[in-house]
Amino acid sequence: SSVALDVSGAQQSTLLYNAYLLSASLSFGAAIASLVNASPLGLMPSFEADDEGTEMSGSVAGIRRDDTLKFTAKGLTRITRHPLILPVVPWGLATAQLSGGRPCDLILFGGLSVYAIAGCFCQDLRVIREEGSVGTVFQTESRDTKEGVSEEEQERTQLRSFFEQTSFIPFKAVFDGRQSLVDIRSEAPWLQFFIGTVVGVFMEEKILQLL
């Protein structure tokens, strides 16, 4: 019976290890996918294909930067307005367990999770308080502003609109009807998410080897 208990315990341990590894890897996948599905609350720029020619628009290789695209909820930002940073939360909690679950592991990696939540919350506070700055600079080729409206005021208005359409907690905007799972399914960068998850498995194992 002791042998059976040992086998059962080993199976349970393997199952938990794989579950934590999957969670950490999916977190990597979500963060990497967000690099092509940027939020206005993050530092990543947004690009689009240039159909007007490189000389007129200043694009490179047919790609033009236009950060106004980030103000429209799309794909991952329909899930959460913080698709780059919030994945640190499940990654930190999973890595804390994978690295041994000791108090020092929980303090280090759990602390990173708490830091990620606090950072995203502070970004939201800037929008709620209408401070007009979220720690990033929006670059566009040409910005049409209404007469008498400054670029800063327009940014503030666009941020407020984006904020109202999205949610801090993943999928909350879907549950309360502001966003649609159908739109998420059709717009999310699934290929990048899959590639990022595969890379995440490799990266997580390398991280654990270094600990």
Side-chain angles (χ1 to χ4, degrees), residues 114-137:
V114 173
Y115 182 78
I117 294 174
C120 292
F121 182 71
C122 288
Q123 290 283 68
D124 280 9
L125 280 182
R126 292 191 181 100
V127 179
I128 294 172
R129 295 172 179 174
E130 298 188 352
E131 295 179 1
S133 172
V134 290
T136 186
V137 176

Side-chain angles (χ1 to χ4, degrees), residues 85 88-89 108-122:
I85 304 302
V88 173
V89 177
L108 175 58
F109 295 106
L112 290 174
S113 297
V114 173
Y115 182 78
I117 294 174
C120 292
F121 182 71
C122 288

